[in-house]
């Protein structure tokens, strides 16, 4: 199983079996039943395997009741999300009203409905927040690595001999800005992810800033820095059109990665990244000590 998948199942199990003394047979049954490697096995087959492993007849004796109880606990823990995703108690057999007649051959059982929801929907929501939070917590958070400045002239971002104004700590709304990244390393490639939230804390935008056609077609460091927008970028400045919080997560790697979404010769000005992009990057970089992470956030405020 992919390492991230295992963390996901363990995290879900902590939420549905809280407390100091969770139901051990149910927890073990959950971890095995909803493991992608075991999808083709029957409930009783998994229960027999657990019975043999733990020398405990409870796994087989109560398998169907335990599966139903696991589904109840998942529904209780994630009820709002399941309702929003149009998964009902009736579908999961939790209403106490049995269906009349035979089940259709194509109709999925309650555990299969939950399995599909966990891996097709919940997993990607979870992975996006888990990876972002994990990397931002590991990151260097000193403020010197990222500097936004107001443009004093239309061509200031392009001309190196224009006096450089002081960096700003809050970002003024609807104001042309440029950005300089300064790192204590002369070589490498910087992936720069942005996540924008409204004043209520809801994520509104998610962009890959570097590399991007909009701001940084080249993401290789030059003299330990990157300046944006670059000479050949599509945009002449960086600006924010709404108040809120802008987060930046920088990933510094030794060499470029062969990932299709890192190419900038597409019609997209800046990739709107998804959980799948972070998942792919996590799997590429996991366990590599040479990868460095940087984090910074800014408040966007109304211009004076």
């Amino acid at each position: 199983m992919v390492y991230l998948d295992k963390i996901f199942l363990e995290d879900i199990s902590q939420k549905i079996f809280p407390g100091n003394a969770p139901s051990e047979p149910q927890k073990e049954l959950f971890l095995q039943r909803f493991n992608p490697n075991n999808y083709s096995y029957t409930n009783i087959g998994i229960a027999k395997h657990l019975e043999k492993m733990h020398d405990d007849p409870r796994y087989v004796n109560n398998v169907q009741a335990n599966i139903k109880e696991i589904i109840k606990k998942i529904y209780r823990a994630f009820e709002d999300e399941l309702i929003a995703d149009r998964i009902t108690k009736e579908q999961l057999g939790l209403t106490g009203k049995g269906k009349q007649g035979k089940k259709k051959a194509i109709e999925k059982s309650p555990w299969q409905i939950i399995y599909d929801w966990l891996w097709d929907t919940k997993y990607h929501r979870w992975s996006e927040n888990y990876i972002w939070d994990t990397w931002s917590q590991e990151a260097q958070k000193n403020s010197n690595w990222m500097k936004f400045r107001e443009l004093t002239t239309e061509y200031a971002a392009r001309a190196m001999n224009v006096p450089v104004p002081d960096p700003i700590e809050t970002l003024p709304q609807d104001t042309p800005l440029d950005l300089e990244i300064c790192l204590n390393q002369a070589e490498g490639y910087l992936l720069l992810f942005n996540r924008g939230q409204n004043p209520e804390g809801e994520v509104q935008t998610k962009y890959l800033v570097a590399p991007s056609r909009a701001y940084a077609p080249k993401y290789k460091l030059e003299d330990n820095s990157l300046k944006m927008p670059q000479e050949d970028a599509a945009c002449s400045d960086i600006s924010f059109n709404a108040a809120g919080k802008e987060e930046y997560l920088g990933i510094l790697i030794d060499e470029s990665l062969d990932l299709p979404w890192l190419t900038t010769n597409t019609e997209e000005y800046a990739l709107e990244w998804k959980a799948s992009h972070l998942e792919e990057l996590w799997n590429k970089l996991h366990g590599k000590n040479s990868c460095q992470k940087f984090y910074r956030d800014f408040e966007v405020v109304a211009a004076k």
Side-chain angles (χ1 to χ4, degrees):
M1 178 184 290
V2 177
Y3 180 65
L4 197 59
D5 296 356
K6 185 176 181 180
I7 297 174
F8 171 66
L9 278 182
E10 288 287 351
D11 188 62
I12 296 297
S13 74
Q14 292 299 317
K15 289 181 172 60
I16 63 177
F17 300 108
N20 297 324
S23 171
E24 202 60 38
Q26 287 182 17
K27 183 176 179 180
E28 283 293 313
L29 187 57
F30 165 78
L31 291 172
Q32 295 301 319
R33 172 66 286 171
F34 295 96
N35 183 324
N37 295 332
N38 297 335
Y39 184 82
S40 62
Y41 296 112
T42 63
N43 293 337
I44 192 65
I46 291 173
K48 286 181 177 179
H49 171 74
L50 289 171
E51 178 187 46
K52 184 177 180 180
M53 180 187 300
H54 297 283
D55 191 23
D56 188 341
R58 290 180 299 168
Y59 289 100
V60 172
N61 293 344
N62 302 314
V63 59
Q64 298 306 334
N66 279 334
I67 290 288
K68 186 167 185 176
E69 189 61 29
I70 289 168
I71 292 170
K72 281 183 183 178
K73 289 177 178 177
I74 292 173
Y75 189 88
R76 192 179 304 130
F78 303 106
E79 182 175 1
D80 290 343
E81 286 185 71
L82 287 163
I83 291 173
D85 294 327
R86 299 182 179 180
I87 295 177
T88 66
K89 281 187 172 183
E90 286 77 13
Q91 289 175 286
L92 300 178
L94 301 179
T95 60
K97 299 176 181 178
K99 291 185 179 180
Q100 299 298 318
K102 292 184 178 180
K103 181 190 289 187
K104 295 178 182 178
I106 60 172
E107 188 177 342
K108 292 183 177 179
S109 65
W111 80 260
Q112 289 173 317
I113 293 170
I114 287 293
Y115 178 96
D116 290 347
W117 177 78
L118 280 173
W119 290 107
D120 295 342
T121 303
K122 178 63 178 176
Y123 174 69
H124 299 295
R125 291 176 186 158
W126 172 90
S127 67
E128 177 178 320
N129 291 320
Y130 178 83
I131 294 171
W132 185 276
D133 292 344
T134 299
W135 281 348
S136 64
Q137 289 167 14
E138 294 173 355
Q140 299 180 40
K141 294 180 173 64
N142 68 77
S143 61
N144 295 327
W145 73 278
M146 171 176 273
K147 298 176 182 177
F148 275 100
R149 296 185 175 91
E150 289 191 42
L151 294 179
T152 54
T153 68
E154 185 177 344
Y155 58 90
R158 312 293 199 199
M160 294 299 101
N161 61 341
V162 173
V164 178
D166 292 333
I168 52 180
E169 294 302 314
T170 58
L171 305 180
Q173 185 178 328
D174 298 319
T175 302
L177 307 169
D178 69 356
L179 171 63
E180 183 178 12
I181 305 291
C182 298
L183 304 174
N184 295 321
Q185 184 167 324
E187 297 181 348
Y189 295 81
L190 182 73
L191 308 177
L192 185 61
F193 293 86
N194 164 264
R195 190 168 74 169
Q197 301 177 27
N198 64 18
E200 288 73 40
E202 299 168 331
V203 175
Q204 302 292 302
T205 57
K206 296 183 292 187
Y207 291 112
L208 179 64
V209 179
S212 72
R213 283 183 62 206
Y215 305 114
K218 303 179 186 68
Y219 65 113
K220 188 178 189 299
L221 291 183
E222 295 182 2
D223 298 325
N224 85 356
S225 69
L226 277 178
K227 295 179 176 65
M228 305 178 210
Q230 294 174 348
E231 291 282 349
D232 50 352
C235 298
S236 59
D237 61 63
I238 302 171
S239 63
F240 302 91
N241 62 8
K245 180 180 179 180
E246 295 292 331
E247 296 179 280
Y248 288 89
L249 181 63
I251 311 293
L252 183 63
I253 53 180
D254 290 339
E255 55 188 27
S256 61
L257 296 175
D258 184 21
L259 296 173
W261 50 272
L262 289 179
T263 61
T264 57
N265 57 349
T266 65
E267 295 182 358
E268 241 176 348
Y269 281 103
L271 173 75
E272 293 189 43
W273 61 266
K274 301 176 182 177
S276 58
H277 298 118
L278 293 189
E279 291 163 17
E280 192 171 6
L281 195 58
W282 173 282
N283 290 329
K284 283 273 188 181
L285 300 179
H286 186 70
K288 293 189 176 181
N289 296 326
S290 58
C291 171
Q292 297 182 57
K293 305 172 189 74
F294 302 84
Y295 177 85
R296 184 83 200 273
D297 59 9
F298 297 88
E299 291 295 327
V300 178
V301 298
K304 296 179 181 179

